[in-house]
Amino acid sequence: MRAENVADVGTVAFRASQLPAELVACCIGVNMTARTTPGATASVKSSRHGRMSAHWNRAFAVLLGLSLTTAALSIVVVQQIESTFVAATDEVSRETASYDRIVSALTRESAAAHLVLDVGSPMIAGFLAADEAVGVAMADALATYDEQPELDFVSTARSQWDTAYISVRELAGDADAADAFAADTSPRGDIAHGELAQKTDAISVTAQALDQVSRRALEEHLDDARATKTKLLILLGAIFALSVGATVMYARRMARDVVRPIRTLWESADRFGAGQFDHRVELHNDDEIGELAERFNVMADTIASTHLHLRVQAHHDALTSLVNRAGFMERLDAAVDPTDPEAGSVSVMFIDLDDFKHVNDDLGHAAGDELLRQVADRLRGAARSTDVVCRLGGDEFAILIGSPAGRAVDVADRILRVLEQPFTVHGALIRIGASIGIASQRTAADSGDYLLRAADVAMYAAKGQGKHRWQYFNAHVHGPIVDIASSILGDLETSDRDPSHTG
């Protein structure tokens, strides 16, 4: 516990020292009741209960929805891009294979046709096989290409092919005519070879145009696929950005509505645990954390009130409600401490009732207790509001007076006068006196223990002079006695601390 908090609590305890302990406890109970009003807070708690949970459940539902949407759209984008490029790859493969078959078949047929023209009937079978292969390749191309420009080029190439090989097909249909044409050495053979080569080249040009159209169509498909991919990626990026924005927003909301309040509660708990019993949480959240803060404050009120009540009890005498020895010594040590800015010249008054033992013996301890309570009331009335009145134990009392010795003497005279008045205890009239010893602080070295012992020695000197009087401590006369008592008490304390000391 921090020193300033101890001083604050001690001040409260000191101010409460002039009140009966029952009244202090009553005040504490009223404070606790005023802080906690179950009837007034029940409706508030029920209205706030579950608000934070519902709010963050909605927030996490939004984030989950965005995450699922992002994941689903990512799958769609990947599948769409994959299917587009797979389709393009398949189309390229089919059309390339079809084009290669046409070109290859045309090449073989062209070579076979030239052989028929040069050799004759022995080459007819090879030509017919090559011619049939070209026809199959042309039919397959019509089934493979799906764009109209491509189909138009296939049809054109087929017509050119039909026209280019009519004469060769006629020779292939008549073996004798083929042999005669091959055996003919006139220029007619060279002319036939030249025409066939021109028509074959024309078919090749048409096939190349088909290939170019097919590639352009494929590029257009790929451009469309890229555009679709870009749109899907933009949409995916927008949803991702929305997810990130929502996450950042809810993270900031969480930091504001959850993390910071929890940190505030944490810091408040640390401060309260460090002894700052007057600290309270300043949170006004309209949710469970706000309710927790209120419960923390109610708990803090209860603990602080209980701490004050226990401290009052620990520093007060249960019989008379005066400050007890522990509380008195704490106040006395603080008053004579040279480092305390409030320290100054103080006086200690030690009071012992004269012949109190006869009251207990003649009337009983119950009567003795009642007499002590009445004596405490009169001592409290005779002392000033700034003085600390204490019951040291038994029939011994003490008063701490924060003023010069002259005023302590005035207080002692008033005490003797009020105690001269008879007491009525259980129907019996009792007269009792008191012997008083007074010791004042002379130097900063005078400790609280020293002053109390000095006042005790002066009190015994008063008794020795005839009782019911006060005696001021004389350092020259009574000082050696105090020194001897201090030495004896010091030896006793040393033996208590050292288990090996056998006395």
Side-chain angles (χ1 to χ4, degrees):
M1 183 182 297
R2 297 181 180 177
E4 59 268 22
N5 293 322
V6 173
D8 292 341
V9 175
T11 302
V12 173
F14 168 61
R15 292 176 179 174
S17 65
Q18 306 303 323
L19 299 175
E22 294 80 7
L23 179 58
V24 174
C26 179
C27 293
I28 293 173
V30 171
N31 181 38
M32 293 168 59
T33 305
R35 183 74 183 190
T36 58
T37 52
T41 58
S43 60
V44 177
K45 291 178 181 178
S46 62
S47 64
R48 292 187 300 180
H49 185 68
R51 283 191 177 183
M52 184 175 67
S53 299
H55 173 75
W56 287 107
N57 285 338
R58 289 193 297 269
F60 290 129
V62 171
L63 292 177
L64 179 61
L66 291 173
S67 299
L68 293 176
T69 302
T70 303
L73 185 59
S74 300
I75 295 174
V76 170
V77 169
V78 171
Q79 290 181 342
Q80 182 69 27
I81 295 174
E82 180 183 7
S83 62
T84 300
F85 284 98
V86 167
T89 302
D90 292 342
E91 183 177 356
V92 169
S93 298
R94 291 195 311 271
E95 293 181 355
T96 301
S98 179
Y99 172 79
D100 290 340
R101 283 195 298 271
I102 292 175
V103 173
S104 177
L106 284 173
T107 302
R108 289 195 301 270
E109 184 176 17
S110 175
H114 284 288
L115 288 175
V116 170
L117 294 178
D118 289 337
V119 179
S121 60
M123 299 293 107
I124 291 176
F127 169 77
L128 292 177
D131 188 62
E132 182 180 0
V134 173
V136 172
M138 291 292 183
D140 181 67
L142 289 174
T144 299
Y145 291 98
D146 52 4
E147 299 291 339
Q148 189 60 46
E150 298 170 342
L151 295 175
D152 292 341
F153 277 109
V154 173
S155 299
T156 300
R158 185 170 185 176
S159 298
Q160 291 174 334
W161 167 69
D162 288 338
T163 303
Y165 292 94
I166 290 177
S167 59
V168 181
R169 291 189 191 99
E170 292 176 351
L171 292 176
D174 186 353
D176 293 336
D179 290 336
F181 187 86
D184 188 0
T185 58
S186 65
R188 187 178 63 164
D190 294 334
I191 294 172
H193 280 294
E195 291 177 353
L196 182 60
Q198 290 178 355
K199 293 178 179 180
T200 301
D201 291 340
I203 297 173
S204 297
V205 171
T206 303
Q208 290 176 359
L210 170 64
D211 184 57
Q212 292 176 357
V213 170
S214 174
R215 292 180 182 277
R216 285 197 298 268
L218 178 61
E219 290 176 357
E220 291 177 358
H221 285 313
L222 292 176
D223 290 340
D224 293 340
R226 293 187 187 97
T228 302
K229 179 193 72 173
T230 301
K231 293 178 182 178
L232 291 175
L233 289 177
I234 291 174
L235 180 59
L236 179 62
I239 296 179
F240 179 75
L242 183 61
S243 301
V244 172
T247 302
V248 172
M249 180 188 70
Y250 285 123
R252 295 180 65 182
R253 289 283 298 273
M254 179 175 287
R256 184 190 68 188
D257 297 342
V258 179
V259 178
R260 291 178 186 173
I262 290 177
R263 184 181 294 111
T264 299
L265 289 172
W266 181 8
E267 293 173 353
S268 297
D270 286 344
R271 293 177 63 181
F272 194 81
Q276 299 183 30
F277 295 106
D278 59 341
H279 176 71
R280 298 296 179 268
V281 181
E282 295 296 335
L283 283 179
H284 305 288
N285 291 33
D286 194 20
D287 54 22
E288 290 90 334
I289 293 184
E291 180 180 343
L292 179 61
E294 290 187 359
R295 288 174 180 258
F296 179 90
N297 289 336
V298 171
M299 178 196 69
D301 286 342
T302 303
I303 294 176
S305 299
T306 303
H307 181 270
L308 176 60
H309 180 60
L310 292 176
R311 187 163 183 82
V312 169
Q313 286 185 331
H315 290 77
H316 284 73
D317 177 56
L319 178 64
T320 63
S321 298
L322 295 177
V323 176
N324 61 12
R325 178 183 287 272
F328 182 79
M329 292 307 300
E330 182 178 296
R331 297 297 298 171
L332 178 56
D333 290 337
V336 301
D337 183 4
T339 63
D340 191 335
E342 297 182 358
S345 178
V346 298
S347 298
V348 176
M349 186 179 297
F350 197 107
I351 305 170
D352 184 83
L353 300 183
D354 296 331
D355 302 322
F356 177 77
K357 181 177 181 298
H358 299 306
V359 177
N360 279 335
D361 294 342
D362 297 341
L363 301 178
H365 289 282
D369 291 343
E370 176 60 25
L371 177 60
L372 290 175
R373 281 192 286 268
Q374 293 187 27
V375 169
D377 291 338
R378 293 193 185 185
L379 292 178
R380 188 184 291 115
R384 300 170 303 175
S385 60
T386 57
D387 299 334
V388 180
V389 183
C390 161
R391 182 192 176 205
L392 296 174
D395 61 337
E396 295 178 340
F397 297 85
I399 300 178
L400 172 61
I401 302 173
S403 61
R407 295 184 181 179
V409 171
D410 294 338
V411 174
D413 288 334
R414 284 200 303 273
I415 290 174
L416 293 177
R417 287 196 299 269
V418 298
L419 293 182
E420 287 176 351
Q421 305 299 321
F423 295 87
T424 302
V425 178
H426 296 173
L429 193 64
I430 299 175
R431 293 184 179 275
I432 194 169
S435 298
I436 303 174
I438 304 173
S440 296
Q441 183 184 18
R442 296 173 299 166
T443 66
D446 291 342
S447 65
D449 287 337
Y450 178 83
L451 289 178
L452 187 61
R453 292 170 189 166
D456 188 9
V457 171
M459 180 274 296
Y460 278 106
K463 280 188 180 293
Q465 294 177 9
K467 300 181 181 180
H468 197 63
R469 66 183 64 243
W470 60 263
Q471 176 64 50
Y472 194 80
F473 175 75
N474 188 323
H476 297 288
V477 176
H478 307 126
I481 301 176
V482 175
D483 294 337
I484 293 173
S486 299
S487 177
I488 294 173
L489 290 175
D491 292 340
L492 292 175
E493 291 176 357
T494 301
S495 63
D496 290 339
R497 288 193 299 266
D498 185 3
S500 64
H501 184 75
T502 58

